[in-house]
Amino acid sequence: MRDIVLLNTPNHSKIPMLPIGIGYLNQILLNSGIDSAIIDIQYKVASGWLKLDSEFFGKLQNIISANPARIYGLTIMNASYAWAVRISGIVKELFPGSVVIFGGPQATLANRAILESCKTADFLCVYEGENVIVDFVKWIKSGGAGPPPVNNIWFRNGNGGIEHTPNEPLLKDLDVLPLINFSGEDYSSVNNIGLDVGRGCAYDCCFCSTNQAWQRTPRFKSPVKIATEAEHYYQNFKASKRPVIHFEHDNFISRKDVLRELVRIKKERGFVFEYACSTRIDAIDDEVIELLVSSACKNIFFGIETGSQRIQKIMGKNLGLEKVMPIIRRLVSKKILVEANFIVGFPEETYEEMCQTMDLMSEIRWENARIGISIISPEPMSRLARNTRISDYRMVRDTDFCREMAAVGIDSETLSPELHNHIYTITNKNYDILEVAALVMFYVRLLNCAPMSLFAVRKHLGYTPKDVLGDIRAYHKTRNPRPGDADGVAAFFEASYHEYLSANGSFFKEFLRFELIRTAYVNNPGSAQEAPQPVEFNWGFNAIYLAVLKDKNLLSGPGAFPRQKTRLALKGREKN
């Protein structure tokens, strides 16, 4: 029997990643002579090894029963909490004498509510666990008499009341964290390798709880630590693929001095890793762009959130929106993949302001960048959550969250918004938030599956996002497509814009067909093996599409493209 097994619980992400948080804890425990191991349930799900179906918890029970331990530590975020509750119940059924510890963001932000509602959690380890985990495990192994002798622990006392030890000061020197011994063989499906380069954000966006979890205290590892760790993981995984190192920090470029020194060290030592990072878009200037390009930054993520300058101020982000498109165009021209996320549903937002967000999102997508959308959902302890009444929460049922939980037997209708906000949004006094959520999710599906076709429709018909959303509303009255249904995209275009698609010898109809096949292949290269092969077209759309990506206004005059019989055959390959 092991001393402790750390469980990385499912969180609905489709991307296989390394478990950084419990990876640190596991390495620290092993380095201290404690018998510790990780069962990465989330990785098994994301890589397809475990299916989310009616047999899921039965199979998981077999896995856990084969790994007995004195202590089980479960890392939880909001999206994984319902899963952690079920899994901790399985642990207690299999090993009634075991001790269950919850840790992670959800344990930090919803501590009292968790201990009040989840009786299978014995302790919570809040904030950072690296400084306390060894002594805490040793204390449990010795019998755990009296209150815990370490900081950051929440627990029930002998009378059933909830108590907690003092908060441990945040780590000042993140360089003391160990190198995690992840194996490329154990994580063969991982292409994007997360690297903890720092923690904390100094900003106070109303919807975010990061400032609560990290006490608005941004910290960074030293540039030499970041560079050497990144190169280590790159070399460890490059045998089977070409990994990208994802620098995990909400606002990496807020410290330009860290970036400058990182670039210098990378060049000086001949490191070859490629990386991605996240930051505020107003941290980007000409110097930063050149530093990113010269150091092999391949991907950058921005949380832009809204296309309304008024809502930017209300939510506390305060980005100058006039700077967004010039910066994104410059980054894309330097072959850096841009990803931008938006949020719809702020309580003060009007329908027109929501449409402004759709418009800015469209402009970004048409620059061959990636976009994402979230429906507002107050994170625990965020400013928005503190100001929202429970009666104002609304469950969003048509989501992967609810579908995946239903597939394994978790009833989302029983989950409260206080502890499961990821399946809830909140009321908006200016529009029906649930209707708008459905419209917006389908609009984003159009942008992701057929961006240039949507551009052509809006250009030729003089449509605004408000017009397209109106057409989606009309389409939804006759059909009820799921947001992720690619066939629904084609059917929507045909139902709403049939006359337009049939013009110019059906050029736009064939263009749409080509684009849907192309984007499906780009997003999921393996799908080519399942698609009918080959596909015939009356125009040379391979060359046309590449030209359109460089100059989308070419779609204004399709007659300029001569007819040319072509056949498209896609070869299945592993997605990188």
Side-chain angles (χ1 to χ4, degrees):
M1 176 178 285
R2 293 187 184 278
D3 295 326
I4 182 170
V5 168
L6 300 169
L7 303 174
N8 190 25
T9 51
N11 59 33
H12 300 277
S13 173
K14 308 298 188 294
I15 302 173
M17 297 288 286
L18 300 178
I20 302 173
I22 59 172
Y24 278 132
L25 298 181
N26 185 59
Q27 197 65 55
I28 289 169
L29 290 164
L30 291 173
N31 292 351
S32 300
I34 293 172
D35 187 3
S36 176
I38 294 174
I39 299 178
D40 197 340
I41 306 168
Q42 165 56 26
Y43 174 78
K44 294 178 186 297
V45 172
S47 60
W49 194 86
L50 264 180
K51 302 295 183 185
L52 297 180
D53 55 25
S54 59
E55 299 179 355
F56 173 78
F57 284 115
K59 292 178 180 177
L60 190 55
Q61 182 170 359
N62 292 335
I63 294 171
I64 295 173
S65 66
N67 290 272
R70 175 74 179 89
I71 306 165
Y72 289 87
L74 285 70
T75 181
I76 54 172
M77 57 181 69
N78 192 267
S80 65
Y81 179 65
W83 303 79
V85 172
R86 286 288 295 271
I87 293 168
S88 63
I90 291 173
V91 168
K92 288 293 191 178
E93 288 177 11
L94 291 171
F95 309 109
S98 63
V99 173
V100 171
I101 307 168
F102 282 3
Q106 182 81 341
T108 297
L109 298 167
N111 36 57
R112 183 173 296 276
I114 290 174
L115 287 180
E116 287 175 345
S117 62
C118 181
K119 303 308 179 184
T120 48
D122 299 304
F123 295 97
L124 306 182
C125 183
V126 302
Y127 296 108
E128 293 171 323
E130 289 92 352
N131 270 353
V132 303
I133 188 66
V134 170
D135 288 339
F136 188 38
V137 168
K138 288 181 178 178
W139 173 74
I140 294 173
K141 284 178 60 182
S142 69
V150 298
N151 294 334
N152 286 0
I153 304 301
W154 283 65
F155 60 99
R156 300 182 192 87
N157 60 30
N159 298 319
I162 295 173
E163 297 184 24
H164 62 89
T165 61
N167 292 336
E168 179 81 3
L170 295 178
L171 285 168
K172 291 184 178 179
D173 182 9
L174 296 178
D175 280 10
V176 303
L177 296 173
L179 196 65
I180 307 172
N181 188 27
F182 287 127
S183 164
E185 293 182 2
D186 293 340
Y187 286 93
S188 59
S189 296
V190 170
N191 295 317
N192 303 308
I193 299 172
L195 175 62
D196 183 11
V197 300
R199 300 170 181 177
C201 178
Y203 293 91
D204 187 28
C205 298
C206 71
F207 57 87
C208 186
S209 58
T210 296
N211 47 35
Q212 295 293 321
W214 300 123
Q215 303 168 27
R216 296 188 72 175
T217 307
R219 295 159 293 152
F220 287 82
K221 290 179 179 175
S222 68
V224 67
K225 177 76 168 177
I226 294 171
T228 53
E229 283 197 21
E231 186 69 9
H232 168 81
Y233 292 127
Y234 178 84
Q235 296 295 338
N236 221 24
F237 280 78
K238 73 171 185 177
S240 58
K241 57 197 68 188
R242 186 179 178 180
V244 174
I245 310 299
H246 280 241
F247 290 170
E248 302 288 350
H249 194 286
D250 289 332
N251 195 8
F252 175 63
I253 301 174
S254 64
R255 286 280 303 278
K256 198 184 293 187
D257 59 319
V258 173
L259 177 62
R260 289 193 195 102
E261 184 64 7
L262 174 71
V263 172
R264 187 193 68 78
I265 293 169
K266 189 172 186 286
K267 291 179 178 178
E268 182 181 86
R269 301 194 182 185
F271 291 163
V272 295
F273 65 85
E274 298 173 342
Y275 69 96
C277 64
S278 302
T279 194
R280 286 173 59 98
I281 201 164
D282 54 9
I284 303 295
D285 56 26
D286 288 345
E287 179 192 5
V288 167
I289 290 175
E290 293 309 313
L291 288 169
L292 294 173
V293 171
S294 66
S295 57
C297 176
K298 297 300 180 184
N299 181 309
I300 190 163
F301 175 88
F302 300 117
I304 297 174
E305 322 308 3
T306 178
S308 162
Q309 198 64 65
R310 186 179 78 95
I311 299 299
Q312 282 284 341
K313 183 177 181 179
I314 288 173
M315 72 163 149
K317 193 96 178 187
N318 286 312
L319 295 177
L321 295 177
E322 74 282 355
K323 301 176 182 178
V324 169
M325 291 312 302
I327 290 173
I328 287 178
R329 291 189 182 104
R330 181 85 190 279
L331 289 165
V332 171
S333 73
K334 296 292 186 178
K335 302 190 184 314
I336 294 177
L337 176 63
V338 173
E339 297 185 60
N341 193 70
F342 291 84
I343 299 173
V344 162
F346 290 98
E348 304 85 356
E349 183 178 65
T350 66
Y351 194 85
E352 294 296 331
E353 287 172 323
M354 179 273 295
C355 290
Q356 291 173 12
T357 295
M358 295 299 100
D359 210 12
L360 180 56
M361 185 187 304
S362 302
E363 291 295 330
I364 292 172
R365 182 70 178 104
W366 292 335
E367 293 300 325
N368 203 25
R370 291 179 180 173
I371 49 95
I373 189 71
S374 302
I375 309 303
I376 193 72
S377 181
E379 295 181 2
M381 290 302 295
S382 66
R383 183 155 45 93
L384 185 57
R386 296 195 301 271
N387 293 329
T388 300
R389 298 172 302 183
I390 293 298
S391 60
D392 286 334
Y393 282 82
R394 297 290 181 269
M395 184 179 290
V396 185
R397 293 174 173 82
D398 190 18
T399 64
D400 284 344
F401 294 137
C402 291
R403 282 188 285 272
E404 289 173 355
M405 287 191 290
V408 301
I410 297 176
D411 183 3
S412 58
E413 299 293 334
T414 66
L415 305 180
S416 66
E418 301 100 316
L419 289 169
H420 309 88
N421 72 274
H422 67 291
I423 60 173
Y424 286 86
T425 186
I426 55 177
T427 56
N428 181 295
K429 64 181 180 181
N430 298 307
Y431 55 72
D432 181 339
I433 183 60
L434 295 181
E435 180 196 39
V436 165
L439 298 179
V440 164
M441 295 302 288
F442 195 81
Y443 185 94
V444 171
R445 187 63 183 169
L446 299 181
L447 272 179
N448 282 327
C449 290
M452 306 319 298
S453 296
L454 184 60
F455 169 82
V457 165
R458 286 187 51 186
K459 179 82 172 178
H460 282 263
L461 300 182
Y463 273 19
T464 65
K466 188 174 183 179
D467 297 320
V468 177
L469 290 168
D471 291 336
I472 295 172
R473 181 184 287 109
Y475 178 70
H476 281 190
K477 288 181 179 179
T478 60
R479 307 190 187 201
N480 187 28
R482 282 177 51 184
D485 182 5
D487 292 336
V489 171
F492 166 77
F493 272 94
E494 181 63 33
S496 304
Y497 310 120
H498 173 76
E499 184 176 340
Y500 163 76
L501 292 177
S502 301
N504 295 287
S506 295
F507 172 88
F508 289 110
K509 188 172 186 175
E510 287 203 20
F511 184 87
L512 170 64
R513 184 181 175 213
F514 173 86
E515 186 171 40
L516 290 173
I517 294 172
R518 183 185 185 276
T519 53
Y521 177 68
V522 169
N523 293 331
N524 182 19
S527 65
Q529 298 170 339
E530 304 168 5
Q533 301 280 348
V535 184
E536 294 188 352
F537 295 96
N538 290 311
W539 283 268
F541 283 120
N542 272 324
I544 290 172
Y545 201 83
L546 292 175
V548 166
L549 289 179
K550 294 179 180 179
D551 181 6
K552 58 183 178 292
N553 290 309
L554 289 173
L555 286 174
S556 300
F561 301 120
R563 283 179 175 265
Q564 177 186 355
K565 287 280 186 180
T566 57
R567 305 175 79 195
L568 177 66
L570 301 176
K571 182 180 180 181
R573 60 179 173 83
E574 182 181 358
K575 184 178 179 182
N576 188 8

